[in-house]
Amino acid sequence: MSTRLPTRRGLLAGAVALLLAATPIESVTAQAGEPPAPLSRAEVSVDFGSHEGRLPRPERLNNFGNVTAWPDQRAGDAKFLNKQGLHGDIYRIWLSSPNAADSLDVFNMCDLKTRRCDLSKLDRYLTEASTVSDSVLINLNPTDFVEGRRPMNDLEPMLELIMRSVKVKYPRVKYVEAFNEPDWQFYGQQRKQGVPADKTTLQPGDLYRFYKPYYEAVNKINKDLRRADRIELGGPALMWMDPKWLKPFLDDFAADQDRHKRLDFLSYHAYLAWDDTYQTPTMYNTDLRVVASQRKTLRGWLKERRISGHIPSYVTETGIYPGPAYDDTDPRKDYIRQAAGMATYNYYFANQRDTYMFNWCVRHRVEERKDQLVTRTPNGPVEDTFTPYGNTMLMQSRMKDTRVSATSDALEGDNGVYALASKDWTGASVMVWNWQHVGERGYRATIDMSRMPSELRNRPVRQLIYRIDQNTSNYFADPAEAGLQLVDKKIVRPGRTHTATVDLTPNAIYLIVLERA
């Protein structure tokens, strides 16, 4: 996203006094000259005898920035991510980014007359994405066709040429996403500048006619591929799940009489929503619960149109800071907020079937709060070093495979203590965090674990506790200890139950791992 938005600094200041009224246990670390903020009590209950299916793995769904985003670091980044256990299931990349030069747009690298594409300028980008992930999703945005600079009749053959050429050379390309925020690029941005609704480049009901050539091209290519290698197609990668845009798109898909039409996934982004005139954004970070029922809403829209309710949702960009938005001009606090905010997004999306949240992104071209690897320092990008957000993804990768029930009694609105827990034959894991955004409430959380896995009962068990907070696992507090910090390691002997206690300062995150010693 490139939207310029107001800051959110001090958003919850008016509620802080109320939040701090609870009985203190001990103090959260305060700034010099400030009174310490009290810790409130929280109870987390984990039932390891329950079974809630496979644990969603959002850390395996990720984005590289566009081809211009720190290209000299990308090969090393791919190697580091693989080594850290963060090899992807799907990585999303951009072959026609509006933020890159025309010469780096794949639509300008292919010639319909010669039926050839010169992909040399994208070779490293595609190769590195194929190295770090089992599958690659390419975003193809038909800007010139929407804006009338190229004839519509050329769109389908051009897409076929591009996708076939890419697929032959880079077989891990499995997914194609049509458009990128067309509701903003061709409509909202102009509305924000005062252009009347009927004078914008694109209207909500116009989108599907540009999508149809995509599936026609994909179907031609897939005829020549083995079933396991075939391309899946989706879109329209809306800026947000806006019914004004998505409903007409679904109407047109439902009305399309082509029996070979395809919509393998629906994609949109999760940062904010706009009013009808695109003058006032509503930031999701004011209450992340806004995404908690999106799949239910979408499933209703699909059902109304007799479209399969099993078409998955790909939330291909997610974040608490859209565009260059921020809470503090000093980004150090925002880095930890981003980490806890993304963990919270994951929690809400993980509770919705057929919904897949993509992380955004390894290194952003210009916006530092979104970086998973440390990029903005006086000496430039740092190699092999996670931000707090990157360390959160590393935590997620160390959780076990089967999700179990985990509940917290300390949620007020979207703020407070969250928990995810999982198990498998290797052991058990619990991740807890205190999403406060700009709030200041801290908690002492008691984690009560019941029906412990039999392989961990009445025998020596290694308990590992990792922490991310303002001062721990945070390059911007201590570069020497930027990696995910193991803050406690000991042998315990659980019975049917086990208990652990952690102190959660605002936006702090803990991971507890239990494995046989």
Side-chain angles (χ1 to χ4, degrees):
M1 286 185 59
S2 59
T3 318
R4 180 160 294 279
L5 297 167
T7 74
R8 304 300 302 165
R9 187 173 186 177
L11 177 68
L12 300 182
V16 169
L18 177 62
L19 294 178
L20 299 185
T23 303
I25 302 170
E26 63 180 54
S27 297
V28 177
T29 302
Q31 299 295 318
E34 296 180 357
L39 289 178
S40 302
R41 296 183 182 277
E43 297 286 337
V44 173
S45 299
V46 178
D47 179 3
F48 280 111
S50 63
H51 187 289
E52 297 188 350
R54 292 188 64 81
L55 182 75
R57 292 294 188 180
E59 74 277 7
R60 298 178 186 171
L61 305 174
N62 206 358
N63 278 265
F64 274 138
N66 75 22
V67 67
T68 68
W70 311 98
D72 292 341
Q73 279 68 44
R74 199 178 296 119
D77 292 346
K79 183 177 180 180
F80 175 67
L81 290 165
N82 285 337
K83 184 177 179 180
Q84 293 297 309
L86 284 172
H87 185 80
D89 289 338
I90 309 174
Y91 260 61
R92 177 174 176 254
I93 63 172
W94 311 71
L95 300 194
S96 53
S97 169
N99 295 317
D102 288 348
S103 61
L104 296 174
D105 186 332
V106 73
F107 284 97
N108 297 321
M109 298 177 183
C110 297
D111 189 328
L112 286 176
K113 292 180 180 179
T114 63
R115 302 292 302 171
R116 292 180 178 275
C117 293
D118 180 359
L119 300 174
S120 57
K121 292 180 180 179
L122 297 173
D123 178 67
R124 287 176 56 195
Y125 189 43
L126 282 154
T127 298
E128 288 148 6
S130 299
T131 300
V132 78
S133 185
D134 291 342
S135 301
V136 177
L137 183 156
I138 59 172
N139 180 278
L140 293 174
N141 193 23
T143 299
D144 285 354
F145 294 91
V146 175
E147 295 181 344
R149 290 194 294 270
R150 295 195 187 198
M152 189 65 182
N153 289 342
D154 284 354
L155 181 54
E156 184 273 326
M158 177 60 78
L159 288 167
E160 182 188 355
L161 177 59
I162 290 171
M163 288 188 277
R164 191 181 295 277
S165 300
V166 169
K167 183 68 174 176
V168 166
K169 191 168 184 182
Y170 309 97
R172 288 198 172 184
V173 171
K174 173 73 174 178
Y175 305 91
V176 173
E177 182 182 45
F179 312 107
N180 181 62
E181 299 185 348
D183 48 332
W184 173 253
Q185 182 182 1
F186 305 119
Y187 182 85
Q189 193 169 21
Q190 296 166 48
R191 294 287 287 127
K192 188 170 180 61
Q193 295 168 354
V195 176
D198 61 349
K199 300 296 183 183
T200 56
T201 300
L202 200 65
Q203 296 294 306
D206 294 338
L207 195 56
Y208 189 77
R209 70 185 181 94
F210 294 97
Y211 177 80
K212 187 177 176 72
Y214 279 80
Y215 80 65
E216 292 171 338
V218 167
N219 287 340
K220 289 181 179 179
I221 296 166
N222 281 349
K223 286 180 181 179
D224 301 326
L225 297 174
R226 297 182 309 157
R227 183 176 296 275
D229 296 331
R230 289 175 184 169
I231 294 170
E232 295 187 20
L233 171 69
L238 297 176
M239 189 185 213
W240 61 289
M241 204 181 85
D242 184 355
K244 183 170 63 180
W245 281 82
L246 196 49
K247 284 185 174 182
F249 181 82
L250 294 174
D251 287 339
D252 289 340
F253 179 77
D256 188 345
Q257 296 299 305
D258 189 334
R259 63 189 182 92
H260 299 296
K261 67 183 179 183
R262 65 185 308 135
L263 182 59
D264 299 304
F265 60 89
L266 277 162
S267 65
Y268 62 91
H269 298 164
Y271 298 103
L272 79 174
W274 286 98
D275 67 342
D276 285 344
T277 63
Y278 282 80
Q279 300 304 307
T280 305
T282 299
M283 305 275 278
Y284 286 177
N285 63 22
T286 63
D287 190 340
L288 295 180
R289 293 176 300 171
V290 69
V291 305
S293 60
Q294 286 186 335
R295 183 64 195 182
K296 180 179 179 181
T297 299
L298 182 56
R299 193 161 48 242
W301 295 347
L302 294 170
K303 184 177 180 180
E304 288 169 1
R305 293 158 179 81
R306 297 185 178 181
I307 301 171
S308 171
H310 297 295
I311 296 174
S313 300
Y314 284 10
V315 189
T316 49
E317 289 184 32
T318 317
I320 67 168
Y321 295 120
Y326 60 91
D327 289 308
D328 277 279
T329 53
D330 181 347
R332 288 176 294 181
K333 291 183 179 180
D334 286 352
Y335 277 114
I336 194 69
R337 290 169 180 148
Q338 168 77 354
M342 292 301 286
T344 307
Y345 265 125
N346 170 49
Y347 176 86
Y348 285 116
F349 284 124
N351 291 337
Q352 301 174 71
R353 292 184 61 183
D354 300 319
T355 301
Y356 301 89
M357 186 199 93
F358 284 63
N359 284 279
W360 173 248
C361 64
V362 176
R363 295 185 194 267
H364 197 278
R365 186 174 56 91
V366 293
E367 292 154 9
E368 59 195 289
R369 287 159 180 80
K370 301 171 185 177
D371 294 336
Q372 296 160 12
L373 295 173
V374 176
T375 305
R376 329 292 157 148
T377 76
N379 297 317
V382 179
E383 293 182 355
D384 300 352
T385 306
F386 286 120
T387 64
Y389 174 21
N391 277 325
T392 301
M393 294 172 64
L394 187 59
M395 268 190 181
Q396 292 168 334
S397 75
R398 294 183 181 180
M399 293 192 72
K400 307 306 180 181
D401 288 335
T402 299
R403 187 176 180 181
V404 302
S405 173
T407 59
S408 165
D409 71 352
L411 286 173
E412 296 184 9
D414 72 323
N415 291 143
V417 177
Y418 289 80
L420 283 172
S422 59
K423 65 181 180 181
D424 60 24
W425 66 273
T426 68
S429 59
V430 184
M431 185 171 169
V432 294
W433 66 98
N434 176 21
W435 165 240
Q436 287 294 312
H437 189 201
V438 296
E440 294 294 337
R441 191 170 192 174
Y443 289 90
R444 170 164 286 180
T446 301
I447 305 165
D448 294 320
M449 307 174 218
S450 63
R451 295 201 289 174
M452 292 294 292
S454 58
E455 59 269 22
L456 299 180
R457 294 182 192 173
N458 303 313
R459 56 169 46 94
V461 169
R462 183 181 299 107
Q463 178 175 280
L464 308 176
I465 300 182
Y466 302 88
R467 183 172 74 228
I468 303 168
D469 62 22
Q470 194 66 44
N471 301 307
T472 312
S473 308
N474 189 343
Y475 174 92
F476 306 97
D478 184 355
E481 295 191 350
L484 182 59
Q485 295 298 300
L486 179 66
V487 296
D488 188 64
K489 177 181 178 180
K490 62 184 178 182
I491 300 299
V492 297
R493 197 178 184 90
R496 284 183 57 84
T497 64
H498 182 60
T499 300
T501 301
V502 296
D503 289 346
L504 291 161
T505 53
N507 301 306
I509 309 169
Y510 276 81
L511 173 66
I512 301 172
V513 178
L514 296 161
E515 298 174 335
R516 291 182 63 172

